[in-house]
Amino acid sequence: MLPKMRHGGGILVLAPFLRPRTPFHPRRKVGLPRREPCEQQEKNMSFHLQSKMPACDFLPDKYESYPYEHMVKIRKENVSPSLYTSYKKPLLLHQGHMQWLFDCDGRRYLDLFSGIVTVSVGHCHPKVTAAAQKQLGRLWHTSNLFMHPGIQEYAEKLASMFPDPLKVIYLTNSGSEANDMAMYMARLYTRNFDIISLRGCYHGGSAYTLGPTSLSQYKHVIASGTGCQTTMLPDVFRGPWGGSSCRDSPVQTIRKCNCSPGSCHAKDQYIEQLKDTFRTCVPKAIAGFIAEPIQGVNGAVQYPKGFLKEAFQLVREKGGVCIVDEVQTGFGRTGSHYWGFEGHDVVPDIVTMAKGIGNGFPMAAVVTRKEIANALARSTHFNTFGGNAVACAVGSAVLDAIEKDGLQNNCVEVGTHMLLEFAKLRDKFEIVGDVRGKGLMIGIEMVENKETRQPLPAEEVAQIKEDCKDMGVIIGQGGVFLQTFRVKPPMCITKADADFAVEVFHAALSRHMERKAAAK
């Protein structure tokens, strides 16, 4: 029987003498002594939280690798500087369990960012872990030149989650690779070249996918992704048009809406902008259009209802195919539907997915129609690790966990609850400009004030994020101006966790306002 844990100041404190012994590993370094109640507890108390962090019955292993300072030294000397870390003092995470993360000192954190929206069913979900371990003992890899049971079983299982005619699957290793493949297929199939995307989107960091990606911080001063054009983002909060009933969300913008019943002025205006892009920026025929159902990196930006459906019709009239990037929205995260595109009442020609597909295991997929897939078969195209035996076992277990654990429904219940609670903070704080999203894909956009919607400076947003971390909550940051908090936790999060997260965020906002008042 595992020893029980005790808590202090809302943050888990583990007594070192209660730890089970960990077998000696010759490559591991001497374990570090655990800091008792620690600076984090003191910081938490200074924020005057009324409730404690929800209980967790999981006991992490003892951290036994290099000391923190040596890890920082290695990071600076041996890891590419392009791989930046979050927070002033980067976290050294040691172990995860479902919605929880533990650092090298045993401190526990509620994870609201899921490794950038990647951990879908929970960190180290026992059923997914068991499936990976079982497959590792049987067969690691053969390449897809040979058949192994996993790739056929998984392809059939994944295809069953899609409407006709989306039944042909190409397995890859990452979202960038999947979107790269989707663009390639679109061009081969249509025999056209130009691809249109929405400003503010992120579709990958490869040389090919940097073309449709439309966030300057990801761009380098070299040519990449030629043949890609962007069109105006239909953002009903920050864009020129938007109102109080535009989007498919429990929380609408604070902007007024003058639309008549059955019409959406904002949607019509953004569609006119897309038509203008067709008239001025691309040839008469295009290869395709790529969009996320809800923009992820840009801070859960939602389009006016009906926009995507009308855009798809225009694209197909131009000879293009419609690509939906479900890398962040897929696998039930939006709650109302398994796939984000279903919430827009459309059926795309190509769908890409990654991140949550493997719960952190590197895998991705492209799903399309047979005739589009056939275009790729005109010449040899090969992927060494796509459909890897372990990846297929993990992917299959993830699908099972989503269904058996009722995680899509949990996204509806907990996500809606969390959205409505965050909306109360929007009504209370002038710097909270917008709360939006569906299910457990939430954006909180920060502003100088609601009237101008001027973005809150990125460094101030980062400090609020830092304060949340010090109170035990990890949250993401995104947006064109890095002004938006990204709340996308593992889909197993509970209402008690959500309430704690909202309270922490409330305390961090209050602390920020106190700092601003003191600085005047």
Side-chain angles (χ1 to χ4, degrees):
M1 183 175 178
L2 291 176
K4 293 183 178 179
M5 298 177 290
R6 52 191 177 87
H7 294 73
I11 292 297
L12 183 70
V13 180
L14 298 170
F17 58 84
L18 292 178
R19 293 185 168 282
R21 291 191 175 184
T22 304
F24 173 75
H25 192 293
R27 297 190 63 172
R28 288 180 177 172
K29 309 304 174 187
V30 178
L32 298 177
R34 182 167 304 281
R35 299 174 189 164
E36 285 292 340
C38 80
E39 61 185 86
Q40 189 175 4
Q41 177 185 347
E42 296 168 7
K43 288 179 180 177
N44 283 354
M45 293 174 67
S46 72
F47 283 96
H48 309 297
L49 288 180
Q50 294 182 355
S51 61
K52 292 184 178 181
M53 178 180 283
C56 172
D57 59 2
F58 177 78
L59 185 67
D61 297 332
K62 183 178 180 180
Y63 176 76
E64 294 188 307
S65 190
Y66 295 117
Y68 179 89
E69 293 74 16
H70 188 58
M71 287 293 193
V72 172
K73 181 175 181 289
I74 294 171
R75 185 85 182 196
K76 289 180 178 177
E77 295 179 358
N78 303 119
V79 177
S80 171
S82 66
L83 301 175
Y84 62 91
T85 54
S86 189
Y87 302 117
K88 294 174 183 176
K89 183 180 179 181
L91 286 173
L92 177 53
L93 296 172
H94 163 54
Q95 197 162 356
H97 174 72
M98 303 307 285
Q99 65 269 45
W100 304 106
L101 287 169
F102 299 84
D103 71 9
C104 60
D105 291 316
R107 299 180 188 125
R108 178 161 60 102
Y109 301 87
L110 178 62
D111 184 6
L112 294 189
F113 201 30
S114 305
I116 316 182
V117 208
T118 297
V119 177
S120 50
V121 299
H123 291 281
C124 302
H125 189 289
K127 294 177 182 176
V128 180
T129 300
Q133 290 172 335
K134 182 177 180 180
Q135 187 60 47
L136 282 167
R138 179 180 292 156
L139 179 69
W140 284 33
H141 177 73
T142 63
S143 90
N144 48 42
L145 285 175
F146 306 95
M147 290 200 300
H148 61 82
I151 190 169
Q152 285 77 231
E153 291 170 357
Y154 181 65
E156 181 182 50
K157 202 171 193 177
L158 184 60
S160 71
M161 311 302 295
F162 285 90
D164 289 328
L166 298 172
K167 296 297 179 183
V168 183
I169 293 166
Y170 192 107
L171 296 171
T172 68
N173 308 296
S174 72
S176 292
E177 191 178 359
N179 283 329
D180 191 296
M181 175 61 64
M183 293 167 62
Y184 193 41
M185 286 180 172
R187 285 168 168 164
L188 287 172
Y189 175 69
T190 63
R191 301 291 188 177
N192 298 325
F193 190 65
D194 286 71
I195 289 176
I196 296 173
S197 63
L198 298 172
R199 289 173 200 153
C201 68
Y202 179 83
H203 294 294
S206 67
Y208 214 48
T209 55
L210 278 174
T213 291
S214 183
L215 289 163
S216 65
Q217 62 263 42
Y218 294 97
K219 301 281 192 177
H220 288 270
V221 290
I222 59 171
S224 60
T226 57
C228 295
Q229 302 289 342
T230 63
T231 192
M232 181 181 284
L233 170 63
D235 182 347
V236 299
F237 173 72
R238 183 158 296 283
W241 305 287
S244 57
S245 58
C246 286
R247 61 192 180 203
D248 179 19
S249 173
V251 181
Q252 298 292 331
T253 72
I254 58 174
R255 299 174 74 174
K256 293 182 180 179
C257 186
N258 298 317
C259 298
S260 58
S263 69
C264 179
H265 174 73
K267 184 264 294 180
D268 293 342
Q269 292 301 312
Y270 289 119
I271 285 294
E272 283 302 314
Q273 290 298 310
L274 178 58
K275 290 178 179 178
D276 189 62
T277 301
F278 286 139
R279 287 191 293 265
T280 61
C281 300
V282 294
K284 292 182 179 180
I286 63 171
F289 169 73
I290 183 169
E292 303 159 87
I294 300 173
Q295 284 195 338
V297 174
N298 200 18
V301 174
Q302 293 179 277
Y303 325 130
K305 288 176 283 190
F307 170 82
L308 214 55
K309 188 169 188 176
E310 198 163 331
F312 276 23
Q313 181 180 342
L314 294 173
V315 168
R316 286 167 174 152
E317 288 172 1
K318 288 285 184 179
V321 298
C322 299
I323 305 167
V324 167
D325 178 342
E326 294 274 1
V327 169
Q328 295 193 29
T329 51
F331 299 93
R333 178 165 289 278
T334 63
S336 62
H337 299 86
Y338 204 83
W339 305 111
F341 68 78
E342 294 173 299
H344 293 272
D345 191 26
V346 296
V347 177
D349 303 294
I350 304 174
V351 183
T352 62
M353 64 212 70
K355 293 186 181 287
I357 191 175
N359 200 48
F361 195 92
M363 65 180 300
V366 181
V367 181
T368 189
R369 310 193 317 254
K370 183 171 289 187
E371 59 269 28
I372 296 176
N374 287 342
L376 189 63
R378 294 169 187 157
S379 297
T380 300
H381 193 282
F382 188 77
N383 189 304
T384 300
F385 293 104
N388 170 272
V390 181
C392 289
V394 167
S396 182
V398 167
L399 294 178
D400 290 343
I402 292 170
E403 180 182 359
K404 292 177 181 177
D405 295 355
L407 296 184
Q408 183 179 341
N409 186 61
N410 195 59
C411 288
V412 174
E413 293 186 359
V414 178
T416 301
H417 173 72
M418 189 181 277
L419 269 163
L420 294 174
E421 291 300 308
F422 279 131
K424 293 176 184 177
L425 300 185
R426 180 195 64 184
D427 298 339
K428 183 173 183 178
F429 291 91
E430 182 66 16
I431 60 172
V432 181
D434 195 34
V435 173
R436 55 183 177 254
K438 282 185 67 178
L440 288 174
M441 188 158 185
I442 299 170
I444 307 170
E445 185 159 349
M446 309 300 293
V447 295
E448 291 276 17
N449 61 73
K450 289 184 173 72
E451 183 178 353
T452 66
R453 287 172 283 157
Q454 184 70 20
L456 193 69
E459 58 272 17
E460 294 188 34
V461 178
Q463 184 56 58
I464 296 170
K465 182 177 73 169
E466 197 90 26
D467 290 341
C468 288
K469 180 261 294 180
D470 290 338
M471 288 183 279
V473 172
I474 295 173
I475 193 169
Q477 186 177 353
V480 173
F481 305 99
L482 296 177
Q483 83 283 19
T484 304
F485 289 108
R486 300 168 63 193
V487 180
K488 300 155 187 184
M491 299 191 297
C492 56
I493 192 173
T494 68
K495 280 189 177 180
D497 301 330
D499 288 338
F500 176 73
V502 172
E503 184 181 347
V504 165
F505 191 65
H506 187 179
L509 292 176
S510 299
R511 182 66 172 266
H512 179 74
M513 298 309 295
E514 291 171 8
R515 279 193 298 262
K516 293 195 82 166
K520 289 182 179 179

